[in-house]
């Protein structure tokens, strides 16, 4: 039995650039969060007497209230910034993977060209569309043309070779789409847990104020409760935003994967039906 020729697969992009981006983004977001907390929310103009450490926030001044949330707040702000940074990055990458037009319309055009036996036009349509979906389908179409001139294999072997080529091209493209999604997924849990940590530290301060001899220190009690609530709110906000973005992007990736599977099935089935 003759060996099947090696599949022509789409080019695999290096992930080193994405890893560097992720590492730098995490550090920068934490630094920016700390700077915003210290110099914007901790600005003396936000507090009575211009004293951020001992003064109360001015009535209705939310910046001052957030600053009083304690040292967990800048970490939570950094996590919230990370969520938006990685969401923007994934939006750009997935948008490029989708290509220049509607994926559904593109797949229908490809199916039409394949059904008419016009493989060259289908390849040209892939070049026009661009993106990961088009790259995978183009790889399968090239294998389709290659199999038409292959004489050492029967139809079943050729169909398997086309299918294997599409699968390998997909395996090279999909990891690029899923990179950094793990960061967003991790932020869902970390945001909640960090907010809970801030809540606990705030309640510890509040109960410490209650436990003082004599009358409770009302200012310390208020600050402790404020810290707990601010951290709770920020942690929940971070987790909520992260899980929304994660679900949106996974849905988009699933749609692209389905489009690839649909077009790949059409390529294989068309070849099988026209080369019996």
């Amino acid at each position: 039995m003759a060996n099947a020729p090696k599949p022509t697969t789409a080019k695999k992009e290096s992930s080193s650039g994405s890893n560097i981006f992720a590492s730098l983004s995490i550090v920068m977001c934490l630094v920016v969060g700390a700077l915003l907390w210290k110099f914007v929310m901790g600005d003396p103009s936000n507090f009575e007497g211009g004293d951020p450490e001992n003064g109360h926030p001015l009535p209705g001044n939310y910046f001052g209230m957030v600053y009083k949330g304690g040292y967990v707040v800048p970490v939570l702000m950094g996590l919230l910034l990370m969520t938006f940074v990685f969401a923007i990055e994934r939006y750009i990458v997935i948008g490029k993977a989708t290509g220049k037009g509607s994926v559904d319309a593109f797949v229908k055009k490809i199916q039409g060209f394949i059904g008419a036996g016009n493989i060259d036009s289908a390849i040209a349509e892939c070049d026009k569309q661009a993106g990961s979906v088009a790259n995978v389908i183009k790889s399968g179409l090239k294998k389709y043309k290659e199999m038409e001139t292959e004489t050492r294999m029967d139809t079943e072997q050729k169909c398997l070779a086309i299918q294997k080529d599409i699968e390998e091209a997909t395996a090279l493209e999909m990891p690029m789409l899923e990179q950094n999604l793990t960061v967003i997924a991790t932020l869902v849990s970390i945001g909640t847990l960090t907010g809970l940590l801030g809540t606990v530290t705030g309640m510890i301060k509040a109960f410490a104020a209650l436990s003082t001899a004599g009358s409770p220190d009302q200012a310390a009690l208020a600050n402790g409760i404020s810290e707990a609530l601010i951290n709770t709110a920020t942690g929940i906000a971070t987790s909520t935003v992260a899980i929304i973005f994660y679900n949106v992007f996974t849905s988009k990736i699933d749609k692209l994967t389905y489009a690839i599977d649909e077009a790949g099935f059409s390529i294989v089935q068309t070849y099988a039906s026209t080369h019996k």
Side-chain angles (χ1 to χ4, degrees), residues 184-200:
I184 298 178
T186 303
L187 288 170
V188 174
S189 300
I190 291 181
T192 303
L193 293 174
T194 306
L196 181 60
L197 175 63
T199 302
V200 172

Side-chain angles (χ1 to χ4, degrees), residues 251-272:
S251 177
K252 287 181 177 291
I253 292 172
D254 289 343
K255 183 179 179 180
L256 295 181
T257 304
Y258 177 78
I260 291 173
D261 291 341
E262 185 180 5
F265 179 79
S266 297
I267 294 171
V268 174
Q269 291 302 309
T270 300
Y271 189 93

Side-chain angles (χ1 to χ4, degrees), residues 17-33:
S18 180
N19 292 335
I20 293 173
F21 168 81
S23 301
L24 290 177
S25 297
I26 291 172
V27 173
M28 289 301 297
C29 286
L30 290 173
V31 171
V32 171

Side-chain angles (χ1 to χ4, degrees), residues 203-217:
M203 294 308 296
I204 290 173
K205 291 181 180 179
F207 282 107
L210 285 173
S211 66
T212 56
S215 61
D217 186 341

Side-chain angles (χ1 to χ4, degrees), residues 41-276:
M41 312 214 169
D43 188 274
S45 62
N46 297 325
F47 300 90
E48 296 175 351
D51 186 358
E53 303 306 324
N54 300 313
H56 294 291
L58 294 173
N61 190 301
Y62 290 102
F63 281 177
M65 294 179 188
V66 172
Y67 180 80
K68 286 297 184 179
Y71 293 103
V72 179
V73 171
V75 177
L76 286 167
M77 291 176 63
L79 295 178
L80 185 59
L81 284 173
M82 279 182 224
T83 303
F84 285 105
V85 168
F86 283 104
I88 293 170
E89 186 262 349
R90 283 297 89 194
Y91 178 81
I92 294 172
V93 170
I94 294 174
K96 288 181 178 179
T98 301
K100 298 178 181 178
S102 168
V103 173
D104 293 335
F106 166 68
V107 170
K108 289 180 180 179
K109 286 182 181 179
I110 293 298
Q111 289 173 329
F113 286 131
I114 295 171
N118 196 344
I119 304 303
D120 289 331
S121 295
I123 293 175
E125 188 66 29
C126 290
D127 291 333
K128 186 188 301 183
Q129 176 75 9
S132 296
V133 176
N135 289 342
V136 174
I137 296 174
K138 182 179 178 181
S139 179
L141 292 171
K142 285 183 176 180
K143 179 59 66 175
Y144 186 108
K145 290 189 66 176
E146 182 183 332
M147 290 298 101
E148 288 188 318
T149 59
E150 174 60 48
T151 58
R152 297 171 297 171
M153 304 166 62
D154 58 30
T155 300
E156 184 178 353
Q157 290 174 322
K158 291 177 181 180
C159 288
L160 288 174
I162 295 172
Q163 184 176 354
K164 183 179 179 182
D165 186 274
I166 294 171
E167 290 174 353
E168 292 197 8
T170 303
L172 292 177
E173 293 286 349
M174 287 300 107
M176 180 188 69
L177 299 180
E178 296 172 352
Q179 272 184 336
N180 295 334
L181 271 184
T182 52
V183 177
I184 298 178
T186 303
L187 288 170
V188 174
S189 300
I190 291 181
T192 303
L193 293 174
T194 306
L196 181 60
L197 175 63
T199 302
V200 172
T201 58
M203 294 308 296
I204 290 173
K205 291 181 180 179
F207 282 107
L210 285 173
S211 66
T212 56
S215 61
D217 186 341
Q218 293 183 355
L221 177 62
N223 285 338
I225 295 174
S226 175
E227 178 176 336
L229 295 177
I230 288 170
N231 282 290
T232 301
T234 311
I236 291 174
T238 300
S239 297
T240 302
V241 173
I243 200 168
I244 290 172
F245 281 132
Y246 180 81
N247 289 333
V248 168
F249 293 135
T250 52
S251 177
K252 287 181 177 291
I253 292 172
D254 289 343
K255 183 179 179 180
L256 295 181
T257 304
Y258 177 78
I260 291 173
D261 291 341
E262 185 180 5
F265 179 79
S266 297
I267 294 171
V268 174
Q269 291 302 309
T270 300
Y271 189 93
S273 63
T274 57
H275 295 77
K276 292 183 179 179

